[in-house]
Amino acid sequence: MTKYIFLCGLIFFTSLCFSQFRIDADFAITPTSFSPDTSVIRNTNTNYRGDDPFHIFRAEIFGRYAMSEMFDVNANALYDINAGNFSRIQKKEFRLCGLFVTGHFDSVFNLRYGKIPTPIGSFPSRRFAYDNTLIGEPLMYSYKTPLGGNFALNDSALFFNRNNFIQGVAPIYEAYWNEGFSAFGSMSGIRWNVAFTKNSLSFPKTKRSYGNQIAGRIGTNGEDINVGISAGVGSYLQSGKNLFNSTKVENVKQNLIGADAHYTYWRYEFLGEILLSTWDAPLTTEKKLKTTSFFGEGRYQIKGNIWLTARAEQLTYNLIDSSGTKTKWGYDVQRLEAGIRYTFSSTLIKGVWQHTILSTKPTETLLDIYAVQIVFRWEDIFKSGQ
């Protein structure tokens, strides 16, 4: 992290001399109510480092330094007033999320290096508060399963985590950008992106050599309708201390494959994604653990800058054979998030209801979140201050 902060400072002071630096920022205020307030899944939207899109105040800061027509440096940072790690012992309200150099060679082939954006799916391009028509992130990009990423788990440990709501790896942890490099481009109506990273898309604490995770997407680049396919493979365990001697930690993989679609017509807009994630789990009975997740999102423009929007989604687990009984290794999750948004000038106002159902036994566990979010976008801060 120190090297990234140093590089940010270097970019900032260099920009004062060459006036090729631009900073934009989104400031979000989000009064929120939980029902029930004591629900065991109250932190269902909270990320590994304690930040949460439903926290009362957050600022997302974006910087860009144009070194030349061909190369630029981009950075983004997050300030979350209530952020801290999962144990809540250490508070780190501010953090650097992304920092990368981009080489724009032509439309067909370009390169990025550093802490780079998530290379797969369609949601990452609209993850920030001003671009997200709702407040929460889709389950496939944020929900933590009972599978731990620190070391391999057996059946007993897996079910212990499930029954005690202990959070582990996500299918894709979009809130943490990985270190590595990517190549991307477009031609003949096709857009492509492939990345080689040190980290795992599922568990970012895992850091190895470049190429630990290989992931990418290819899709159409049209106006009204677009479809894409994503895939990735990489090792996700941070440590191999529980593994048998014959099993190398770098060979314990996560595989994922997904598809997405986007369609616009008149005042309507439809988006959807599906993702199948499979983790090697050598100490469990089944040896493979799977989740299937999908979401469908619809938007309707009532008038001018007023939109209705809703997202329905689900994340399910496969059955595993434990002591002769078939049972799911996690509790299935269903979620509906709906709201209304209004934009005027540089301000966005959202009113959102999020309803989550966790298929616990013998009865389901429910959580309702009611929130209003006001997002103010401040563009080109240095220029507007002149």
Side-chain angles (χ1 to χ4, degrees):
M1 178 59 71
T2 303
K3 62 182 179 182
Y4 291 121
I5 295 174
F6 172 77
L7 185 53
C8 278
L10 180 63
I11 294 168
F12 174 76
F13 289 112
T14 304
S15 69
L16 297 180
C17 300
F18 295 97
S19 67
Q20 299 297 318
F21 192 68
R22 173 181 173 133
I23 290 183
D24 303 315
D26 293 340
F27 302 95
I29 300 173
T30 314
T32 303
S33 176
F34 296 85
S35 178
D37 190 56
T38 56
S39 173
V40 293
I41 58 171
R42 193 181 189 277
N43 64 345
T44 185
N45 291 281
T46 305
N47 293 315
Y48 286 127
R49 291 173 291 186
D51 56 290
D52 190 314
F54 287 92
H55 280 169
I56 185 63
F57 178 76
R58 288 159 56 95
E60 296 167 333
I61 305 163
F62 314 93
R64 180 179 182 271
Y65 174 52
M67 296 186 290
S68 67
E69 291 185 0
M70 184 174 292
F71 292 97
D72 58 51
V73 179
N74 288 267
N76 68 78
L78 171 69
Y79 176 83
D80 185 318
I81 195 170
N82 292 328
N85 62 13
F86 262 0
S87 65
R88 299 299 187 268
I89 296 173
Q90 184 179 13
K91 288 181 66 65
K92 289 185 177 180
E93 295 90 348
F94 179 84
R95 75 163 187 263
L96 185 67
C97 299
L99 178 62
F100 54 90
V101 179
T102 303
H104 304 274
F105 305 116
D106 55 44
S107 61
V108 177
F109 184 82
N110 306 278
L111 290 173
R112 284 195 182 112
Y113 172 76
K115 284 179 69 69
I116 58 176
T118 301
I120 64 176
S122 65
F123 176 77
S125 63
R126 58 183 191 280
R127 61 166 288 200
F128 299 106
Y130 201 86
D131 304 313
N132 186 357
T133 54
L134 295 164
I135 298 177
E137 296 185 348
L139 294 168
M140 66 175 65
Y141 288 101
S142 61
Y143 192 80
K144 271 68 72 180
T145 73
L147 177 63
N150 292 316
F151 46 81
L153 302 181
N154 58 23
D155 290 348
S156 297
L158 192 64
F159 290 130
F160 178 86
N161 286 357
R162 182 197 66 179
N163 297 337
N164 290 276
F165 308 99
I166 296 174
Q167 298 175 320
V169 304
I172 302 173
Y173 183 49
E174 210 286 324
Y176 189 107
W177 287 2
N178 286 190
E179 296 177 37
F181 64 92
S182 65
F184 63 97
S186 61
M187 63 178 181
S188 302
I190 300 296
R191 179 178 294 174
W192 64 276
N193 187 2
V194 61
F196 303 84
T197 66
K198 291 182 176 181
N199 316 78
S200 163
L201 288 173
S202 184
F203 192 62
K205 286 185 178 180
T206 301
K207 291 186 179 181
R208 295 195 172 90
S209 60
Y210 292 118
N212 175 66
Q213 175 92 44
I214 304 173
R217 177 186 182 274
I218 186 169
T220 59
N221 190 22
E223 293 184 3
D224 297 327
I225 183 169
N226 285 290
V227 294
I229 297 175
S230 299
V233 59
S235 63
Y236 71 93
L237 287 180
Q238 188 177 22
S239 168
K241 69 176 185 179
N242 283 357
L243 297 174
F244 301 114
N245 292 333
S246 58
T247 304
K248 294 183 178 180
V249 65
E250 58 267 23
N251 292 333
V252 181
K253 305 283 189 179
Q254 178 205 20
N255 291 268
L256 55 87
I257 186 167
D260 60 84
H262 182 198
Y263 175 66
T264 57
Y265 171 73
W266 192 46
R267 296 185 177 183
Y268 297 92
E269 186 174 7
F270 302 96
L271 308 96
E273 291 192 48
I274 185 169
L275 181 75
L276 173 63
S277 181
T278 304
W279 293 269
D280 293 336
L283 301 186
T284 65
T285 305
E286 296 293 323
K287 309 302 181 185
K288 300 282 186 181
L289 300 175
K290 299 178 181 180
T291 61
T292 302
S293 49
F294 69 86
F295 73 84
E297 188 174 316
R299 307 170 188 172
Y300 173 68
Q301 185 181 24
I302 300 175
K303 182 180 180 181
N305 296 327
I306 305 176
W307 290 76
L308 290 176
T309 183
R311 181 193 301 136
E313 54 184 327
Q314 181 172 285
L315 185 149
T316 61
Y317 299 83
N318 69 307
L319 294 166
I320 64 174
D321 190 351
S322 179
S323 302
T325 302
K326 289 282 187 178
T327 185
K328 293 195 173 187
W329 60 277
Y331 296 127
D332 292 347
V333 191
Q334 295 176 310
R335 178 179 288 169
L336 173 65
E337 187 168 346
I340 186 170
R341 56 177 280 157
Y342 171 63
T343 306
F344 66 94
S345 185
S346 298
T347 303
L348 168 64
I349 301 176
K350 311 176 194 178
V352 165
W353 165 60
Q354 185 188 90
H355 179 64
T356 303
I357 304 173
L358 196 66
S359 298
T360 49
K361 305 295 183 181
T363 59
E364 296 175 332
T365 300
L366 307 178
L367 176 67
D368 289 290
I369 300 178
Y370 306 90
V372 174
Q373 186 174 77
I374 303 172
V375 185
F376 173 72
R377 169 157 288 183
W378 189 359
E379 296 184 341
D380 205 348
I381 294 175
F382 289 162
K383 183 177 181 181
S384 60
Q386 294 176 356

